[in-house]
Amino acid sequence: KGSLASNDKLDMQKAIREHQPLLSDIHNDTLYAFPHINVTAPLFDNKAELIAVVLLTIDLRQSFYPMLQSWHRATGSGEMLLVRRDGDQLLYLSNLRHQPQATLKLRFPLTRTDLLGVQALLGKTGLLEGVNYRQRPAVGVPQKVTEMPSWVVIAGIESDEVFAAGRRQIVLTLSLGMAGIVVLCISA
């Protein structure tokens, strides 16, 4: 017998009791001190007698997190964030671009309704406006994860970056307009 973390034992018992595979939530534990999920699958014979239980541990640093992070490479502040409710708090489940050591540690109270993550957990949909975990003005779009109803993915970007192209266009237009006025005044 190998050693199992207490939550793994509970998942195993539930999977056996329900005769169903079980997908755990993202967690760290004493056995694996990195973010991971487990798939627990009980195996039964044709008489419904338990033969074995398969426990597959998936290291999210190797697969899931790089996939989430690949989206923002073309932007300076864009991120895909995975969050969930933990009691009366928002918990960040994914790596954070600007705080990589905060995975499964960074929390905010659900009373912080200015945070995009809190808005998403409270059920707001569509384009959200507020602040990100760095307290910077941001916009984002949330999407619930069907297979894990407690999880919400948020595609977000800081407002400065979103509106930078528009500001450049306005400055260019105003500059050209002012230059035109100066030329007209000088030639008059």
Side-chain angles (χ1 to χ4, degrees), residues 181-188:
I181 290 171
V182 167
V183 169
L184 286 174
C185 289
I186 292 174
S187 65

Side-chain angles (χ1 to χ4, degrees), residues 22-51:
L22 181 74
L23 180 66
S24 75
D25 207 339
I26 297 174
H27 63 285
N28 295 332
D29 55 41
T30 54
L31 195 56
Y32 299 108
F34 53 83
H36 63 280
I37 58 175
N38 292 329
V39 178
T40 306
L43 303 176
F44 298 94
D45 65 14
N46 57 2
K47 296 177 188 173
E49 296 285 328
L50 181 67
I51 300 171

Side-chain angles (χ1 to χ4, degrees), residues 76-133:
S77 67
E79 287 189 86
M80 292 282 272
L81 303 171
L82 183 63
V83 300
R84 76 169 163 85
R85 185 181 199 139
D86 190 26
D88 61 352
Q89 296 184 322
L90 156 72
L91 174 63
Y92 289 89
L93 302 174
S94 57
N95 285 344
L96 304 176
R97 184 177 191 176
H98 302 285
Q99 292 182 27
Q101 302 305 315
T103 306
L104 296 173
K105 295 176 189 162
L106 184 62
R107 299 168 179 270
F108 289 101
L110 292 177
T111 56
R112 286 284 315 275
T113 56
D114 58 327
L115 287 163
L116 297 179
V118 169
Q119 292 177 32
L121 290 177
L122 295 178
K124 285 186 93 174
T125 59
L127 183 66
L128 307 180
E129 294 183 59
V131 296
N132 60 15
Y133 63 90

Side-chain angles (χ1 to χ4, degrees), residues 116-180:
L116 297 179
V118 169
Q119 292 177 32
L121 290 177
L122 295 178
K124 285 186 93 174
T125 59
L127 183 66
L128 307 180
E129 294 183 59
V131 296
N132 60 15
Y133 63 90
R134 298 192 312 153
Q135 312 307 310
R136 296 192 177 170
V139 295
V141 177
Q143 179 64 50
K144 287 190 175 207
V145 178
T146 307
E147 295 78 17
M148 295 299 286
S150 65
W151 297 0
V152 178
V153 175
I154 305 164
I157 190 168
E158 291 179 1
S159 299
D160 286 351
E161 188 172 353
V162 171
F163 302 116
R167 277 194 213 103
R168 281 192 299 269
Q169 186 69 33
I170 290 169
V171 168
L172 179 61
T173 302
L174 289 175
S175 297
L176 290 173
M178 291 301 287

